Amino acid sequence: MAKGAGERTDVLQGTLDLMVLKTLETMGPLHGYGIARRIEQMSDDLLKMNEGTVYASLMRLLQRRWISSSWGASENNRRARFYAITASGRRQLTKETENWGRIAGVMARLLRAAERS
Amino acid sequence: MWARLVLIVSRLRFAWSRRRVDDEIRGELEAHLALLADRYVHSGMTPEEARLAARRQLGSVRAIREEIYDMNSLPFLDTTAQDLRYATRLLRKNPTFALVAMLTLALGIGANAAVFQLVNALRLRSLPVDRPYELVSVGIDQHGKGRVGRGYAGRSIFTEPLWQEIRSQQQAFSSLFAWGNGGWDLSTEGEVVFGRGLYVSGQFFDALGVRAHAGRLLTEADDRKGCGSPGAVLSYAFWQARYGGNPGAIGQTITLDRRRFDVIGVAQPGFFGVEVGRAFDVALPLCAEPLIRGPQPATGRRDAWWLDIIGRLKPDWTLERAQSHVAGMSPDIFRATVSPSYKPEIAKAYTSFTLTATSAATGVSNLRNAYATQLWVLLGATGLVLLLTCANLANLTLARSSARGREIAVRLAIGASRRRIVRQLLTESALVSGLGAAGGLLLARWISQTLVSVLKLGPAPVFVDLTPDWRVFAFIVAAAVLTCLLFGLSPALTATRRDPAATLDPGGRSPTDRHQAARLRRALVVVQVALSIVLVVGAVLFARTLRNLAAVDLGFDPRVVLASVDLRRTTVPPEARAGAFAAIAARIRDVPGVRDAAETLIVPLSGGDWNSRIVKGGVAQEGDVHFNEVGGHYFRVMGTPLLAGRSFDDRDRPDTVRTAVVNETFARRHFQQVDPIGQTFQMDLPPGAPQPVYHIVGLVKDAKYLAVREERTAAIARFSARESSSMFLPIAYLPVSQNTMPPPDFRIVVRADVPLASLTRALTPAITEAAPGAAVAYDAVANYIDALLVTERLIAWLSGFFGVLAMVIAAIGLYGVMSFLVTRRRTEIGVRMALGAEPRTVIRMVLADSGRLLACGVVIGVGLAIPAARYAASLLYGLPPSDAASFGLGISALVLVSLVAAWIPARRASRLAPAAALRE
């Protein structure tokens, strides 16, 4: 289901962070490539992004100590950095998930109201 | 808040290793790229196509790396590092400025830190013991003025019976201890080796929480009355110095005043006692005092003041509660311990004493009180020097920033914010002051050590712990920050206030901006001159004080050698001591090179004192008379002229009438109109004691007794009931030969033609030949005078140094500003000269301008110097604090130097070629 470039949704920075965090929560420790694949798979290719931005997002999360990183061997036995969610990361995820739900609800109501008028 | 902190900390962490982080990210991105490409190859692309597709999907590796790199940086740190690099480059380009700035700052900050270090060690630092804030010093109100009896060296304020009473009655302290200072002879024979001793009560070490480094410390069990020969505890420093830290020292014996004691332990390192400024070598329990002091112990005596008391507050007690507690128990305690030797009025004064309690967290100190004014004056002077340095640096910085006006204007013009430029200029100042402070830290240690080695207190070397602590570091950091702001801020603000367009306009000048900078620089010169006036006038005052003191007529010739002879460990019986001392003096007179020798109880200016009121015609006289007991040759040896009558000779025996020789002040005070020879007086002694009548047989010239500045001794002589304000104290000399029970230690003053070192080699055998087993110690009377004047000398030197420094700095400042003003007025001067002004007129014009600045500075400076001198009045001698001659001298010196400094740019201006100036 290939779509034109124009129809791709730009990924907001904060949203990407949330997606990375959620991915790490459900999948356990992953390296950057794995995270990119998982997000691609979950979005059914609807979301297109420069996968490099995942690494910027990982750095932001590292700085806030919501995730931690360690070195290990990847599936093809190359040295790779694995990222894992931390306890404070989980707390943040819960908070952000609620937040996101609220915003989504508000947006949905707002947009519907705008449609009606 | 917490999240923010976490963020800053991890950013710092990543920023620290961001090269490595970048390498890792690059590796990850490359691996990612490879994996993507592999996938595309699997789905059938050619490797080339796959790589391109992977690139597209990942995005720009460089852009990602840059984004992450920026994320891991703290812009503040980055900019600062950049500014610092730039500042270093600029300083390197201008090494003269850098050197002058850093040297003057190092000197200013170093001198301040050194004096502060002393203030800190003496006044602020806590004792190196457990929970020092719980320690409370017990005292007597008004320092127990009017206590009568025998006082021992130092500041001791309690008798042993008082200590026992207080200990048994008090409730406020969980532990209480007493201690007394002692000076003990460590030698086994011959010449005395002086050691600093401490008598301590049983709880001393325990209450302070001091632990044993080796062996054990004294406890309650060691300090029992009649303990005989108890164990001795060494200080760590003494153990290191004398035993080389050998653990075998414990269990050995140590000889103290020729008695042997077992060494039982060594106290923990760093523990110097509780008196700041005096460290101990050996500690004995209080009960050892009778053994050491011999037949006349202070233990048990109600009029022998030799102990100090400190206690540790009980946990739930406050200082205030302890104060009212000890005050409340005072009447009972003093009533129970009245000495039987006291007459009713003295006993009445005694029983009205009140005990006090004050915090002893920073220890107690003689030194602290003795040098308080001096230290504050020194700190004030060094503070002024630092301010002066700052003013000067501000001026230099201002000059530099005017020179860099173009650069700053360009940066402002192309959009740099003023804030950014001020910050960069301040970074430069901070670099200079930081380097200066580092230099100051190094200098401070050296300066303060020199100061301490100069501040000696009698025979015991002063011990002040000068290890820099956080207070000293905080002081230096504060000084550096303050100086940086003082000399950096206003030039930076002025420099950036200029209108860039005006500065950049090639021919144009912006009069208002320049004018502002010039006004600031002129104001700074006025400040420099004013501060210098204070320092220079101070230097002149202190120098004249020292000269006045050195020229004081002592009433004797101090070039005398002194041999202290102790007969306690000899077989000489007490009643034969007078004869033995006379025999030793006679034997010394035969030593080649010795001109004369005489025995004396008290050596003038040594600190020893014996005073009492006298009774004349049955009536007690107002004011203390000071006594001495001397041999017949004493006045000849000391060079004190006999004005009338005779000195002592073999007519003065125990069985003849008591005789005395008095000095002029004595005669003037007690026998105003009559010839004192043949008159009689008695000492004001307690009833019951023998009351001999003294017949005056001779009159001698006045001589100093306690101090060079005798009028100041009233404060020091704690046992004087009335203060004397004259230049000399009234003295009555009594003959040793009539004393049937002289003390076992006596002094022989020797006038000789050979130097001290070679003389003592000959004297020791002569003395031990006359009295086998005698202990001898040597000194020179001149040393006492040096010791008494040491602070005056120190202050005179330091203030002189600061004064010269101040003058030089002020002159540099004036020179700089006049050069700047002359350069600025080149065109104007050129026009004047083209119109026919003489070079002389130009010089006069420039000098008049300098004169105005000088006059302003001098007026303000004198206004500051007068109160400053008044504060230091107690340190001056022979001149009032507002001494016109000193002020005149100081001001003219400064004005002269400054005018020379101003004359150089003035002359340069007068030689200006008008054509050249006008062409610009």
Side-chain angles (χ1 to χ4, degrees):
Chain A
M1 44 190 316
K3 301 215 169 190
E7 287 163 82
R8 280 180 192 164
T9 313
D10 278 340
V11 182
L12 294 167
Q13 220 180 51
T15 323
L16 180 59
D17 290 359
L18 187 55
M19 287 193 295
V20 170
L21 214 51
K22 182 70 194 172
T23 307
L24 289 177
E25 196 212 14
T26 33
M27 305 290 291
L30 269 182
H31 44 64
Y33 179 78
I35 295 170
R37 293 287 69 74
R38 167 74 180 175
I39 293 176
E40 187 186 49
Q41 181 196 345
M42 292 303 291
S43 70
D44 282 344
D45 270 358
L46 273 171
L47 288 177
K48 275 292 173 193
M49 56 179 182
N50 283 339
E51 289 179 11
T53 53
V54 168
Y55 292 92
S57 167
L58 285 169
M59 183 50 73
R60 273 194 297 277
L61 295 171
L62 271 178
Q63 282 186 347
R64 286 176 172 76
R65 308 233 167 149
W66 290 337
I67 60 171
S68 60
S69 75
S70 58
W71 288 92
S74 68
E75 306 83 56
N76 53 2
N77 257 339
R78 290 167 85 155
R79 216 167 89 87
R81 185 136 74 156
F82 284 84
Y83 298 88
I85 190 163
T86 63
S88 71
R90 278 176 213 284
R91 277 196 299 280
Q92 188 65 25
L93 183 60
T94 320
K95 229 163 74 185
E96 292 286 326
T97 311
E98 283 168 13
N99 216 10
W100 181 262
R102 238 191 337 270
I103 290 176
V106 169
M107 285 304 283
R109 270 205 305 282
L110 193 89
L111 293 174
R112 262 201 305 280
E115 235 164 49
R116 242 179 277 134
S117 64
Chain B
M1 187 62 222
W2 174 246
R4 232 189 126 64
L5 197 71
V6 166
L7 189 62
I8 289 173
V9 170
S10 37
R11 270 199 178 179
L12 262 175
R13 199 161 55 91
F14 285 116
W16 182 252
S17 54
R18 69 183 166 186
R19 288 256 152 80
R20 193 173 51 84
V21 170
D22 183 48
D23 277 349
E24 288 171 5
I25 295 286
R26 203 182 58 205
E28 278 183 271
L29 288 171
E30 273 162 9
H32 194 121
L33 214 51
L35 287 169
L36 277 177
D38 281 356
R39 203 164 70 129
Y40 285 124
V41 168
H42 276 295
S43 64
M45 287 191 192
T46 66
E48 188 59 21
E49 283 170 345
R51 223 184 56 220
L52 282 173
R55 278 259 164 84
R56 261 197 311 277
Q57 195 162 351
L58 187 68
S60 159
V61 170
R62 171 173 284 268
I64 298 292
R65 273 171 61 197
E66 263 172 19
E67 190 184 343
I68 291 176
Y69 193 87
D70 284 347
M71 217 188 281
N72 282 331
S73 59
L74 295 169
F76 174 78
L77 277 184
D78 276 357
T79 329
T80 309
Q82 196 185 336
D83 284 352
L84 272 178
R85 273 195 297 276
Y86 186 56
T88 318
R89 239 185 358 250
L90 279 180
L91 283 185
R92 279 227 197 99
K93 257 175 65 185
N94 198 344
T96 325
F97 168 79
L99 212 65
V100 167
M102 278 182 280
L103 270 184
T104 47
L105 263 185
L107 216 56
I109 293 180
N112 270 282
V115 179
F116 178 79
Q117 212 167 13
L118 272 182
V119 171
N120 179 37
L122 288 179
R123 306 193 71 95
L124 305 173
R125 188 195 290 252
S126 288
L127 287 178
V129 299
D130 275 357
R131 292 165 285 133
Y133 45 87
E134 287 178 4
L135 295 180
V136 171
S137 168
V138 180
I140 299 177
D141 60 336
Q142 295 171 346
H143 305 290
K145 231 179 216 146
R147 284 172 301 151
V148 174
R150 276 205 284 166
Y152 290 87
R155 46 180 297 290
S156 309
I157 42 175
F158 287 103
T159 63
E160 193 262 349
L162 265 176
W163 150 242
Q164 298 294 354
E165 281 296 317
I166 293 170
R167 177 163 68 161
S168 60
Q169 293 199 17
Q170 66 84 18
Q171 307 286 329
F173 306 101
S174 58
S175 50
L176 191 70
F177 61 85
W179 86 95
N181 289 312
W184 301 327
D185 175 12
L186 300 170
S187 70
T188 47
E189 57 172 12
E191 198 170 332
V192 167
V193 179
F194 182 77
R196 293 163 298 181
L198 200 61
Y199 294 107
V200 301
S201 69
Q203 284 192 314
F204 183 83
F205 291 109
D206 208 28
L208 287 171
V210 172
R211 281 166 290 278
H213 176 75
R216 66 174 186 89
L217 299 179
L218 295 167
T219 63
E220 204 80 58
D222 294 292
D223 183 28
R224 270 172 293 112
K225 260 207 172 119
C227 58
S229 174
V233 167
L234 311 181
S235 76
Y236 182 83
F238 179 72
W239 179 59
Q240 287 292 337
R242 194 170 157 102
Y243 295 94
N246 177 11
I250 292 149
Q252 286 184 6
T253 58
I254 183 169
T255 311
L256 303 173
D257 274 10
R258 309 278 161 100
R259 308 259 178 199
R260 295 161 82 78
F261 294 88
D262 289 330
V263 175
I264 59 166
V266 177
Q268 73 187 39
F271 179 69
F272 57 84
V274 285
E275 190 171 335
V276 178
R278 179 199 282 267
F280 78 101
D281 293 328
V282 186
L284 287 177
L286 287 185
C287 61
E289 193 264 348
L291 184 69
I292 292 259
R293 225 163 248 159
Q296 291 176 311
T299 303
R301 278 188 61 153
R302 294 176 166 195
D303 59 352
W305 308 86
W306 61 293
L307 293 175
D308 283 282
I309 300 177
I310 283 185
R312 193 179 278 286
L313 275 183
K314 283 181 179 169
D316 49 339
W317 280 66
T318 61
L319 183 60
E320 290 71 32
R321 191 165 160 216
Q323 274 163 348
S324 59
H325 172 69
V326 294
M329 65 192 214
S330 303
D332 285 348
I333 285 182
F334 285 105
R335 230 174 287 132
T337 55
V338 178
S339 169
S341 68
Y342 286 169
K343 292 213 252 183
E345 80 251 31
I346 294 173
K348 197 172 152 231
Y350 178 86
T351 48
S352 67
F353 286 166
T354 312
L355 292 174
T356 59
T358 47
S359 170
T362 56
V364 294
S365 179
N366 238 354
L367 220 56
R368 187 180 297 170
N369 305 328
Y371 293 122
T373 320
Q374 279 91 331
L375 281 177
W376 291 126
V377 165
L378 277 184
L379 199 58
T382 51
L384 283 185
V385 169
L386 191 59
L387 269 183
L388 193 62
T389 318
C390 285
N392 189 49
L393 281 184
N395 227 332
L396 286 176
T397 315
L398 210 51
R400 257 159 53 88
S401 64
S402 338
R404 281 164 61 186
R406 274 193 101 72
E407 173 212 327
I408 292 170
V410 167
R411 294 174 61 180
L412 283 173
I414 60 177
S417 70
R418 184 172 171 210
R419 212 185 138 95
R420 181 74 190 79
I421 290 178
V422 166
R423 201 179 125 188
Q424 196 238 309
L425 292 175
L426 272 185
T427 308
E428 284 177 48
S429 309
L431 182 68
V432 170
S433 67
L435 290 172
L441 189 64
L442 295 178
L443 273 181
R445 200 163 170 71
W446 179 75
I447 297 175
S448 57
Q449 261 159 5
T450 314
L451 283 179
V452 167
S453 67
V454 169
L455 294 169
K456 271 189 301 188
L457 199 71
V462 170
F463 172 81
V464 180
D465 186 4
L466 285 175
T467 340
D469 62 358
W470 63 269
R471 281 200 193 82
V472 175
F473 283 116
F475 181 87
I476 288 180
V477 169
V481 170
L482 200 71
T483 51
C484 165
L485 286 179
L486 274 178
F487 80 78
L489 195 57
S490 61
L493 290 178
T494 320
T496 51
R497 200 180 290 131
R498 295 200 189 102
D499 174 13
T503 317
L504 285 176
D505 177 11
R509 301 200 167 101
S510 165
T512 46
D513 298 337
R514 288 280 184 111
H515 194 69
Q516 231 162 13
R519 207 161 52 194
L520 185 59
R521 295 194 62 178
R522 294 166 73 106
L524 282 170
V525 165
V526 170
V527 169
Q528 286 184 43
V529 170
L531 294 176
S532 304
I533 286 284
V534 179
L535 288 165
V536 172
V537 166
V540 174
L541 284 173
F542 289 126
R544 283 168 58 102
T545 293
L546 187 63
R547 210 196 51 188
N548 287 350
L549 282 170
V552 160
D553 177 21
L554 298 169
F556 62 85
D557 179 353
R559 285 165 295 176
V560 176
V561 170
L562 170 70
S564 301
V565 180
D566 188 340
L567 296 181
R568 259 178 294 182
R569 310 291 174 250
T570 63
T571 51
V572 178
E575 62 277 6
R577 280 175 191 155
F581 288 124
I584 291 171
R587 175 69 189 77
I588 287 176
R589 270 175 229 134
D590 293 338
V591 172
V594 171
R595 255 193 276 163
D596 208 344
E599 58 276 36
T600 176
L601 177 65
I602 287 165
V603 177
L605 307 186
S606 66
D609 188 14
W610 170 20
N611 62 67
S612 161
R613 295 198 299 179
I614 62 160
V615 177
K616 200 181 74 182
V619 184
Q621 304 291 305
E622 280 295 305
D624 280 331
V625 167
H626 298 261
F627 292 89
N628 196 0
E629 220 166 54
V630 300
H633 289 245
Y634 178 80
F635 302 110
R636 222 177 306 149
V637 173
M638 298 305 283
T640 305
L642 188 68
L643 300 176
R646 66 171 177 92
S647 179
F648 305 120
D649 52 31
D650 32 342
R651 274 171 282 177
D652 307 300
R653 294 185 307 274
D655 55 334
T656 58
V657 287
R658 295 303 175 106
T659 54
V661 170
V662 300
N663 72 351
E664 294 169 286
T665 303
F666 183 100
R668 204 167 40 244
R669 184 164 303 168
H670 297 291
F671 303 100
Q672 290 88 350
Q673 306 301 328
V674 274
D675 180 8
I677 309 283
Q679 300 293 331
T680 63
F681 67 90
Q682 285 171 290
M683 263 188 244
D684 191 20
L685 295 175
Q691 310 272 346
V693 176
Y694 295 96
H695 295 258
I696 298 173
V697 295
L699 176 70
V700 289
K701 208 167 161 290
D702 276 331
K704 297 292 182 183
Y705 184 93
L706 280 177
V708 178
R709 308 177 65 170
E710 206 77 280
E711 67 283 356
R712 291 176 71 202
T713 54
I716 296 165
R718 288 177 289 128
F719 296 95
S720 295
R722 283 281 180 280
E723 336 280 38
S724 149
S725 61
S726 65
M727 304 282 282
F728 292 95
L729 300 175
I731 308 174
Y733 300 90
L734 309 177
V736 192
S737 51
Q738 289 187 328
N739 190 346
T740 49
M741 279 287 274
D745 57 316
F746 232 77
R747 276 139 291 278
I748 315 280
V749 279
V750 182
R751 183 163 301 277
D753 303 318
V754 286
L756 180 65
S758 54
L759 186 64
T760 56
R761 266 200 303 280
L763 285 185
T764 309
I767 292 167
T768 40
E769 182 193 309
V776 195
Y778 298 100
D779 207 343
V781 174
N783 288 351
Y784 294 145
I785 299 165
D786 284 348
L788 284 172
L789 294 185
V790 80
T791 46
E792 279 86 356
R793 189 169 301 123
L794 179 75
I795 289 200
W797 283 352
L798 280 178
S799 65
F801 173 68
F802 292 151
V804 170
L805 192 68
M807 255 194 310
V808 170
I809 292 178
I812 290 175
L814 192 68
Y815 168 80
V817 169
M818 289 331 286
S819 307
F820 167 73
L821 291 179
V822 164
T823 320
R824 209 166 63 100
R825 290 169 67 183
R826 272 170 78 89
T827 322
E828 179 209 327
I829 294 170
V831 170
R832 281 171 190 265
M833 291 184 71
L835 292 178
E838 301 255 331
R840 259 208 341 252
T841 328
V842 173
I843 291 185
R844 204 178 307 136
M845 188 179 79
V846 175
L847 285 187
D849 197 19
S850 327
R852 273 192 294 278
L853 294 183
L854 268 176
C856 279
V858 166
V859 169
I860 298 173
V862 168
L864 292 173
I866 288 175
R870 206 163 287 152
Y871 176 74
S874 66
L875 305 180
L876 302 178
Y877 182 81
L879 68 174
S882 53
D883 181 49
S886 300
F887 271 74
L889 197 63
I891 292 168
S892 20
L894 185 67
V895 167
L896 198 73
V897 170
S898 304
L899 283 182
V900 168
W903 185 72
I904 300 169
R907 204 181 57 148
R908 200 185 304 143
S910 74
R911 292 189 173 173
L912 206 63
L918 287 174
R919 220 176 292 129
E920 282 177 13

